[in-house]
Amino acid sequence: MILHSLTIENYKAIERETIEFGETGITLIEGRNESGKTSVFEAFRLLINTKSKSKPRALKESVRVGADSPISISAEMSIGKERIRYSKTYLSKAETSLEFLSQVKSALRDDEAHEYVLAKLEDSANIKLWEKLSLRQDQESTQLNAVDEISSLKQALDSEAGDTLSAADDSLFLQVKAERDQYLGKNGAPIGELRKLHDEVAELTAEFEVARSAAEALEADIDKLSDAAAKRSEKQRMIDDRKKALVVAEEKASLLDKAQRAHEEFAQRSQLAQAQLDNSEHARDRRRELAESVDSSRAHVERTAEAHDSALREEESAKADLGSATKAHAAAEAKARASTTKVSDARRRIEEVEVRKELASRKTRRDKVEELTNRINELNAQKRLIKADESYIERLRSARSSMREADAGLKAGSSLVSVEGRGEALIDGYTIDASKGWSAYAEDPVRLEIGEVTVSVVPPKNAAEAKERFDAARKAFEELLADRDYDSIDDAEDDLKKLGGLNTAIAESTGQRESALGESTAEENRERISDLEAKLAELSDDIENSDSRDDDDVLGKAKTQLAEAEIEREQADSELAGAAGIVNQARIRDAEARSKAASYRESLAELRDAHDRSEASLKDARDTVTDHALEAAFEAAKKSVDDLAGEGEGIAENLDEAKREAQLHDLETTRQALKRHQQVLDDLIRQYNELNADIKAKSEQGYATKKDNAEIALREVQQRCDSMQARANAADLLLTTLDSHRQQLISRYSAPLRERLVRYGKLVFGADFDVSLDEHLVVKERKLDGATVGFDQLSGGAKEQFGLLTRLVCAELVGDATVPIFLDDTMGFTDPQRRQAMAAVLTEAGKKSQVIILTCDEARFDAIGDATQHSMS
C-alpha cells in the first residue's frame, strides 16, 4: 500500500488540510502542539477501519469545534497495481465513495466500497502490519514482537531462512490451541464449561459456609435489635422537645402576621390619598396648559399662511432652472463615459505587460533558488558522510604525540644492538645476514651468537616499563583511528579540510539562495507566480491581441494612449462636474422649494385643525368644572396626605418588633427540624420491625438440613469438575510440546532479522555494536564497546532508538507487502549525535519504504538528507 495524498476536513483541530506524499522516502509533517499532527494518522486510520454510517460517541466528539460541515476524509493511494481515490463523510452526510484512477472501472459507494478496500488491503498489504509498524504519540517506544503477531513478516522470514517446514503453517498448533482454549485462558485459568464447574463448586462451598455461619448471624441480629430500640427511645425524646418549640414559634408568627396586615392597610390608605393629590394637581395644571395652547395656536396659524404663499412662488422658479441644467448634464456625461473607456483599455494593456515581465523575473528567481537548494542538499549529504571534526583531530594528534613521546622514552631506555660484517649470526635463535647490517632497540635481554662467540646484551631495568607505555600509547592511537574507520591521521585531517570546504560552499550557496529570494520566501515567490499567471490569463481574455510578445513596443504605445486618454477624460470630467454641480444646485433648489411649499401646506391644515380642537376642549372643560373648583380640590387633597404622615411611624415600629421576635423563633426551621427527626424515627421503627421479623424467620428455619444437602451437591459437582480439569491439563501439555517445536523453527528466523538490525544499529551505536535476540525475536541484550547490557537496563533514549530500528527492519523484510510507517513525535529522548545517526538510518530506510514523520520539533530531523516537508496550517 502506498499513500499518495490525504485530505482532511473538520476533524478535531483540523479545519482543512491536504498533504502530498512521495511513493518512497521521508515525508516530514511539522506543526506546533495541538495543530492536528496526531489527528493526521488518526484520520487515515478512521478512513480505513470505520464505516461512514457508524456513529460512535467518540466520532461525534471528534468534530472540529464550531464547524458547520461534517467530518470529511479522502485519500489517494495504490493497493497492488490499482490506484484509487477513497473518500468518506461522517455523521450528518454519511457516505463512502471509491474511484479507480488506474483503470476503467465503475465507482463503488458506501458499504460495498468499504468492504472492497478492506479485502484488497488484506490481499496485498497486511493491515495488522501497518498498525504495528506505526508509532503513535501516546504509545511507548518499545520493540515490536512482530513474529508472533504479523503473518506477512513471518512469511518473509520463512523465505529468508530457507526453511522447508514453515512456522507460518500453524494449522495443527491452532487446532490444539482451540481445544485447550475451550477450557483454559491465556494465563492458565479455567474458562467456559470448566469455569462454570469451578464457579459451581465455589458457589456450593459458599452455600455450605452460609448455613454453618447462620447461627452466628442470628445472635448478631439480636444485638442489633437491642441497639435499635435504644436509638428509637432517644429520637422520640428529641421529637417531643421540637413540638414544644413549634407551639412558641406559631404564636410569634401569628403576631407578625397581624402587624404586617396593619402595615399593609396603612400603606393602601396612604397610596389612595397621594393618588388623589396627584390627580387634582394634574387637572389644575392641564387646565392652565390648555388655555395657553389656544392663544399660541391662533398666532401660529396666521404666520404659517403667509409663509405658504411665498413658498409657492419659489417652487415655480426652481422648476424652470432644473429643466435647463438636466439637458446640459446629459451631454457632458456621454463624453465622460467615452474617455473613461479609453483610459481603462490603455491601463489594462500596461498592466498585462508589467505582469508578464514580473512573472518572467519571478520564474527566473524560482529556478535559481531551486538550483541552489538542490546544491545545498547535495553538500549537506556529503557533509554527513564525514566523521572527522576538530575535537576528534585534536584527540588524534594528542594520541600520536603521546605515542611518539613513549617511543622516544622506549629508545632512550633500551639498548641499541648493531651487527655489521660478513657471514651469519644468531640473535635469540633467529639467523640474520651480517653483511646487510642489522640494528634494533632491545627492551628485553638479547643473546647474540657469532661463530663460537656468544654476546648477551642486558637493557636497563626500566626498559620493560617504557615498552608497556609505548604499547599502550600505540593501542590508544590505533583504537581512536578505528573508532571512526580511519587508516591514518592524514586521512582524518584530509576529511576535516574537506568538511571546511563543504561548510564554505554551503555558506556561499545559502547566501546566494537568500540573495536570490530577496525579502520574500520561496513559498511566497511560488504563490506570487501562481497569482501572476492567473492575473495574466484574466488580462489576456479581456484585451484584444494580448498574445503579442513585443512588450516594450506595446508598453510604449499603451502609455501614449493612456496619457492622451487621461487628458481627454480630465477635460470631460471637468465639464461633467460643472454640469453636475449646476444640476445638483437646481435639484436642491427645486426639492427645497417643493418640500417647503408642501410642508407649509400640511402644517397650515394641521395647525387650523389643532386650533379648532383646542378651543372646543377648553370650552367643554370649563362647562364641566370651573377653574375655581379645581384649585379647591387640590388644597383638600394636600391636607389629607400631610395628616397621614405622622400615623405611619407607630405602625412601622410595631412591625419591626414583630419581625425580630419571629426571627428568634423561626416557624419554618422548627417545622423542618421536627419533620427531619420524625423521618429518622420512622426509619428506626422500620429497622426495628425488620430485624424482629428476620430473627423470627431465622429461628423457624433448619440450618442442619441445609448444610447436609449442600455438602452432597458439592461432592457431585467436584467429581465432574476434576474430570474436565484432567482433559484441559492434557490439552495444555500437548500445546506446550507443540509450541516448543514451533519456537525451534521460529528461532531460525533470528539470522536475517538480526543481520539487518545490526547493519542499521552500527550506523547509530558504532562499529562494535551487536545484539542477541530471545525466543520471541525481540532484542534481549545489546553489546557495545565490549560491554553487554540487558534491554530493560537501557536508557529511555536507547529503547526509543530500538523501537524505531525494529520497525524499519520489519518494513524492509516484507518487501512488496510494504505499508506506510507513521512516526508521531519520536526521538524526544534521543541526544543530538544519535539523532544525526538515526537520520541516516531513516534516510536509508526511506529508499525502500514510505516513512511519514509527525513532529512539533523539526530540529530533531534536520539531518535527514532528502525529505518532503509539510507544515500544518
Side-chain angles (χ1 to χ4, degrees):
M1 174 174 64
I2 298 173
L3 181 60
H4 302 294
S5 67
L6 182 65
T7 298
I8 307 166
E9 293 186 30
N10 296 322
Y11 182 70
K12 294 190 174 179
I14 299 176
E15 180 177 3
R16 191 180 194 283
E17 198 79 29
T18 297
I19 307 171
E20 303 289 339
F21 305 93
E23 293 189 3
T24 57
I26 310 296
T27 299
L28 188 61
I29 301 176
E30 183 271 334
R32 64 185 186 280
N33 289 332
E34 300 183 4
S35 62
K37 302 184 300 302
T38 300
S39 300
V40 172
F41 172 73
E42 293 176 354
F44 185 57
R45 192 164 180 261
L46 179 68
L47 175 68
I48 297 299
N49 295 326
T50 306
K51 291 184 178 182
S52 58
K53 297 187 183 299
S54 300
K55 296 182 179 180
R57 180 178 178 182
L59 184 59
K60 295 179 181 179
E61 294 174 353
S62 297
V63 179
R64 185 179 61 85
V65 176
D68 56 2
S69 300
I71 295 174
S72 176
I73 306 170
S74 178
E76 187 172 324
M77 54 187 176
S78 293
I79 306 176
K81 295 183 178 180
E82 282 188 345
R83 183 158 178 157
I84 62 172
R85 183 180 293 109
Y86 189 36
S87 305
K88 286 183 181 177
T89 302
Y90 292 92
L91 300 175
S92 61
K93 298 181 180 179
E95 62 179 5
T96 303
S97 66
L98 174 61
E99 303 175 59
F100 297 91
L101 307 178
S102 58
Q103 54 184 310
V104 179
K105 196 171 182 179
S106 299
L108 302 178
R109 302 188 67 79
D110 296 330
D111 288 354
E112 185 179 8
H114 179 81
E115 298 299 335
Y116 181 89
V117 171
L118 282 183
K120 278 291 183 182
L121 288 173
E122 288 290 353
D123 290 342
S124 62
N126 193 322
I127 297 180
K128 196 170 185 179
L129 171 68
W130 167 57
E131 292 277 6
K132 292 292 182 181
L133 293 189
S134 296
L135 191 58
R136 295 184 291 279
Q137 185 179 33
D138 56 351
Q139 182 181 10
E140 186 180 358
S141 298
T142 57
Q143 299 183 75
L144 188 64
N145 183 6
V147 150
D148 287 346
E149 300 171 336
I150 306 174
S151 60
S152 59
L153 178 60
K154 194 185 300 182
Q155 292 166 2
L157 289 170
D158 277 341
S159 176
E160 289 282 336
D163 283 326
T164 56
L165 181 59
S166 171
D169 183 9
D170 292 335
S171 56
L172 177 60
F173 175 81
L174 293 176
Q175 290 175 10
V176 175
K177 187 175 184 299
E179 175 69 17
R180 182 259 190 198
D181 289 348
Q182 290 183 24
Y183 308 111
L184 301 175
K186 291 183 179 180
N187 58 355
I191 61 172
E193 290 298 324
L194 181 59
R195 172 65 181 273
K196 290 180 181 178
L197 286 174
H198 278 285
D199 291 345
E200 192 172 352
V201 168
E203 184 179 349
L204 290 173
T205 302
E207 290 179 0
F208 175 74
E209 292 298 327
V210 168
R212 187 169 58 83
S213 61
E216 297 175 0
L218 181 60
E219 293 180 0
D221 286 346
I222 293 173
D223 294 338
K224 292 180 182 178
L225 183 66
S226 176
D227 183 56
K231 290 181 179 178
R232 184 180 64 178
S233 299
E234 175 63 19
K235 185 56 64 176
Q236 184 63 57
R237 184 190 63 75
M238 295 177 67
I239 288 175
D240 294 341
D241 291 342
R242 288 291 92 193
K243 285 181 177 179
K244 294 176 182 178
L246 180 62
V247 173
V248 175
E250 287 175 343
E251 292 176 354
K252 299 300 180 181
S254 176
L255 294 174
L256 174 62
D257 185 54
K258 291 178 181 179
Q260 285 177 334
R261 285 198 301 272
H263 184 270
E264 291 171 358
E265 180 183 351
F266 170 75
Q268 290 175 356
R269 287 189 289 119
S270 296
Q271 289 175 358
L272 179 61
Q274 185 64 46
Q276 291 175 347
L277 175 61
D278 293 341
N279 291 337
S280 60
E281 184 178 12
H282 177 72
R284 184 190 64 176
D285 293 342
R286 178 59 183 156
R287 177 65 55 84
R288 292 175 180 173
E289 291 173 359
L290 187 58
E292 292 172 357
S293 175
V294 170
D295 296 338
S296 176
S297 63
R298 182 181 299 108
H300 200 179
V301 166
E302 293 173 354
R303 290 195 301 273
T304 303
E306 294 176 358
H308 177 256
D309 294 339
S310 176
L312 289 177
R313 292 191 294 271
E314 291 179 7
E315 181 181 357
E316 291 299 327
S317 175
K319 188 181 297 182
D321 293 342
L322 177 60
S324 301
T326 301
K327 292 180 181 180
H329 179 267
E333 192 174 40
K335 185 176 180 181
R337 280 198 300 270
S339 61
T340 299
T341 301
K342 292 180 181 180
V343 170
S344 297
D345 290 343
R347 284 180 175 172
R348 283 199 301 274
R349 188 169 299 279
I350 291 171
E351 185 177 6
E352 178 193 17
V353 174
E354 291 175 344
V355 167
R356 187 182 296 118
K357 284 186 173 183
E358 184 182 355
L359 179 60
S361 173
R362 290 274 182 177
K363 286 183 175 179
T364 300
R365 184 187 306 176
R366 178 196 62 192
D367 296 341
K368 180 64 175 176
V369 168
E370 290 177 353
E371 177 187 347
L372 289 169
T373 300
N374 292 334
R375 171 62 177 161
I376 292 169
N377 290 338
E378 291 174 3
L379 292 172
N380 278 323
Q382 296 175 26
K383 180 180 175 182
R384 285 192 291 272
L385 297 176
I386 293 176
K387 301 177 181 178
D389 53 36
E390 290 286 352
S391 174
Y392 177 67
I393 294 298
E394 286 300 322
R395 285 187 285 131
L396 273 179
R397 289 170 178 167
S398 176
R400 183 178 62 181
S401 177
S402 298
M403 184 178 68
R404 287 175 175 173
E405 289 176 2
D407 183 48
L410 175 63
K411 291 177 180 179
S414 304
S415 297
L416 177 63
V417 181
S418 300
V419 178
E420 295 180 357
R422 294 190 301 273
E424 295 181 344
L426 291 176
I427 298 180
D428 286 341
Y430 293 96
T431 302
I432 63 170
D433 186 355
S435 63
K436 295 182 179 180
W438 179 90
S439 65
Y441 285 94
E443 63 274 2
D444 296 320
V446 177
R447 184 181 178 86
L448 176 64
E449 299 178 23
I450 305 174
E452 296 181 356
V453 178
T454 299
V455 179
S456 295
V457 180
V458 180
K461 292 182 179 180
N462 62 350
E465 296 178 0
K467 180 65 166 58
E468 289 178 0
R469 288 195 296 272
F470 173 74
D471 290 341
R474 181 174 61 186
K475 182 181 178 182
F477 178 67
E478 291 174 350
E479 287 178 349
L480 193 56
L481 283 172
D483 182 55
R484 301 198 183 181
D485 296 332
Y486 283 111
D487 295 329
S488 69
I489 189 173
D490 293 335
D491 293 341
E493 289 177 337
D494 289 343
D495 267 5
L496 183 61
K497 292 178 182 177
K498 188 185 296 182
L499 180 63
L502 289 173
N503 285 331
T504 301
I506 290 171
E508 291 176 354
S509 297
T510 302
Q512 292 171 2
R513 182 177 181 274
E514 292 176 352
S515 177
L517 279 173
E519 296 182 356
S520 61
T521 64
E523 181 63 26
E524 290 172 345
N525 193 50
R526 285 194 294 270
E527 291 177 357
R528 181 57 180 164
I529 288 174
S530 178
D531 294 341
L532 290 171
E533 288 176 341
K535 184 64 177 178
L536 184 60
E538 177 186 344
L539 292 171
S540 297
D541 291 341
D542 292 342
I543 301 176
E544 186 179 359
N545 298 326
S546 62
D547 56 348
S548 171
R549 288 297 175 265
D550 191 357
D551 291 337
D552 291 336
D553 183 51
V554 172
L555 184 62
K557 291 180 179 180
K559 288 183 176 179
T560 301
Q561 293 173 358
L562 176 62
E564 295 173 351
E566 286 180 338
I567 292 172
E568 183 179 339
R569 188 180 66 175
E570 287 176 0
Q571 294 175 351
D573 287 345
S574 177
E575 294 176 4
L576 179 61
I582 295 173
V583 169
N584 287 336
Q585 291 176 359
R587 285 175 177 168
I588 292 170
R589 184 183 171 197
D590 177 62
E592 289 176 348
R594 284 187 285 106
S595 176
K596 188 176 180 181
S599 176
Y600 282 132
R601 187 165 47 252
E602 293 174 359
S603 297
L604 183 60
E606 291 175 357
L607 288 171
R608 284 173 176 168
D609 291 341
H611 176 68
D612 294 341
R613 287 194 299 271
S614 296
E615 284 187 334
S617 297
L618 180 61
K619 182 178 181 302
D620 292 340
R622 283 174 173 169
D623 291 344
T624 303
V625 180
T626 64
D627 294 345
H628 178 73
L630 286 176
E631 190 67 32
F634 170 74
E635 293 297 334
K638 184 177 180 183
K639 183 177 183 305
S640 296
V641 170
D642 294 339
D643 292 342
L644 286 171
E647 183 182 350
E649 294 179 359
I651 294 174
E653 290 176 357
N654 292 337
L655 178 60
D656 290 340
E657 179 64 24
K659 284 181 179 179
R660 283 193 295 272
E661 288 295 321
Q663 286 176 351
L664 293 174
H665 305 84
D666 185 60
L667 177 61
E668 186 60 27
T669 300
T670 305
R671 285 174 176 170
Q672 291 294 333
L674 179 60
K675 182 179 179 182
R676 184 174 66 257
H677 288 309
Q678 185 63 51
Q679 288 174 347
V680 174
L681 177 61
D682 294 342
D683 289 340
L684 290 171
I685 293 172
R686 178 181 54 76
Q687 293 173 10
Y688 178 86
N689 293 335
E690 289 176 352
L691 282 171
N692 195 26
D694 192 34
I695 290 171
K696 290 180 180 179
K698 288 180 179 179
S699 300
E700 296 172 356
Q701 295 178 6
Y703 292 112
T705 303
K706 289 185 178 181
K707 174 179 171 296
D708 294 340
N709 293 338
E711 188 174 8
I712 294 170
L714 176 61
R715 257 197 312 268
E716 179 185 349
V717 174
Q718 185 68 58
Q719 291 174 354
R720 288 192 286 122
C721 181
D722 292 343
S723 175
M724 188 174 292
Q725 183 68 54
R727 180 178 178 85
N729 293 340
D732 188 53
L733 177 60
L734 178 57
L735 180 65
T736 302
T737 304
L738 288 174
D739 186 55
S740 175
H741 176 69
R742 178 171 172 266
Q743 291 302 324
Q744 291 176 9
L745 291 176
I746 290 177
S747 66
R748 299 180 189 177
Y749 295 166
S750 175
L753 190 62
R754 178 180 166 277
E755 181 272 327
R756 285 171 170 80
L757 192 57
V758 169
R759 176 162 53 86
Y760 278 152
K762 286 185 176 182
L763 296 175
V764 179
F765 299 99
D768 194 32
F769 169 80
D770 200 356
V771 295
S772 60
L773 308 179
D774 65 10
E775 66 275 10
H776 300 293
L777 299 187
V778 297
V779 174
K780 179 181 179 182
E781 295 174 332
R782 184 197 71 180
K783 301 176 183 178
L784 187 64
D785 295 333
T788 300
V789 180
F791 180 81
D792 292 339
Q793 297 176 333
L794 293 174
S795 67
K799 289 180 179 179
E800 179 180 63
Q801 292 142 26
F802 271 110
L804 288 176
L805 290 176
T806 53
R807 283 166 171 80
L808 297 175
V809 167
C810 290
E812 180 178 319
L813 278 169
V814 296
D816 293 338
T818 186
V819 292
I821 306 173
F822 281 83
L823 305 177
D824 187 4
D825 261 348
T826 58
M827 296 210 289
F829 297 99
T830 300
D831 61 65
Q833 185 174 359
R834 288 272 178 86
R835 285 181 190 170
Q836 187 167 1
M838 286 299 297
V841 173
L842 288 168
T843 302
E844 182 66 22
K847 295 177 181 178
K848 300 177 181 179
S849 303
Q850 193 178 33
V851 183
I852 300 169
I853 299 174
L854 310 165
T855 182
C856 64
D857 185 3
E858 188 178 354
R860 295 183 193 171
F861 305 95
D862 61 355
I864 292 177
D866 186 14
T868 300
Q869 288 189 297
H870 178 87
S871 295
M872 297 295 291
S873 54

